[in-house]
Amino acid sequence: MRAIDVHVHPTDERIARAWAGDLEDAERFFRGPWTHEDLPATAERPRQLDVMAVLLGADAETTTGVPAYPNDELAAAVRTYPDVFIAFAGIDPWKGELAIHEL
């Protein structure tokens, strides 16, 4: 392994919405068109570079009203691609006990 990329997102539209609301808002926030890539393709890019990727979730539901990206899907990605992904859960601390349970 040559490096660890500490900031990689699934490109599922749900992560864009969890971070920035509407897809158009996400494109404005990320300064470009949203990349649509399935998980196998997202895993292949770091694999080809001999890099591990920290796959980030997002949860700001209490302040945005937008549902969180499911942490269970991050965990499933790590189980499917353990040679590439390390998961980093998105936890909304304003959810109190629910946040602790999610963690």
Side-chain angles (χ1 to χ4, degrees):
M1 173 184 46
R2 295 177 345 139
I4 299 174
D5 183 340
V6 299
H7 195 130
V8 175
H9 295 286
T11 59
D12 183 315
E13 279 187 28
R14 293 172 300 167
I15 198 81
R17 294 184 194 291
W19 278 109
D22 291 328
L23 189 56
E24 295 78 24
D25 294 331
E27 290 177 341
R28 207 169 22 260
F29 177 81
F30 290 107
R31 298 185 179 142
W34 187 253
T35 301
H36 298 277
E37 180 178 73
D38 63 14
L39 193 59
T42 301
E44 191 56 30
R45 282 185 295 112
R47 182 179 290 123
Q48 291 299 313
L49 297 169
D50 192 25
V51 171
M52 292 291 291
V54 178
L55 197 60
L56 301 169
D59 185 356
E61 188 172 9
T62 58
T63 57
T64 65
V66 177
Y69 187 84
N71 288 311
D72 291 342
E73 291 192 28
L74 294 174
V78 171
R79 284 191 298 277
T80 303
Y81 303 99
D83 62 315
V84 176
F85 293 138
I86 302 165
F88 192 93
I91 306 292
D92 182 345
W94 294 105
K95 289 183 178 177
E97 289 294 318
L98 288 175
I100 293 168
H101 176 73
E102 180 66 16
L103 187 58

